[in-house]
Amino acid sequence: MGKKLRKRDVDQELLNSLYHVDHEWKQLQNIVRQSIEPTQSGQHEEKLAKAKYMFLIREARIRKVSALRV
């Protein structure tokens, strides 16, 4: 049988993913904003990163995960 996952470990992985996707989204947003003529693929990547971030935020709210928790 597989290893039983603890809620704390899953929540920490969720927070790590959230920070990573947030950083990725802000980088893409900055690149598209500074571009003279942003490409469609660049805009698409930015929207995709935003959608990932919003999904993870919703999941964190549902799981009642807080980054301020010690």
Side-chain angles (χ1 to χ4, degrees):
M1 294 194 72
K3 176 183 168 188
K4 186 173 180 179
L5 296 174
R6 293 187 308 200
K7 183 182 183 319
R8 184 182 317 143
D9 295 337
V10 174
D11 289 348
Q12 186 60 46
E13 189 174 329
L14 176 63
L15 280 175
N16 291 341
S17 296
L18 188 61
Y19 292 139
H20 176 74
V21 170
D22 178 46
H23 180 70
E24 178 184 338
W25 175 38
K26 286 180 181 177
Q27 271 187 323
L28 289 169
Q29 193 176 33
N30 196 19
I31 290 170
V32 169
R33 190 178 302 133
Q34 290 180 357
S35 296
I36 294 172
E37 287 187 35
T39 62
Q40 263 190 326
S41 65
Q43 291 173 340
H44 175 73
E45 291 294 322
E46 179 191 0
K47 288 179 184 179
L48 184 62
K50 181 181 178 182
K52 287 179 190 178
Y53 177 75
M54 297 309 257
F55 174 79
L56 291 174
I57 286 287
R58 271 188 246 119
E59 186 65 26
R61 283 187 187 152
I62 290 169
R63 295 181 65 86
K64 297 180 181 167
V65 174
S66 173
L68 301 176
R69 190 184 312 167
V70 177

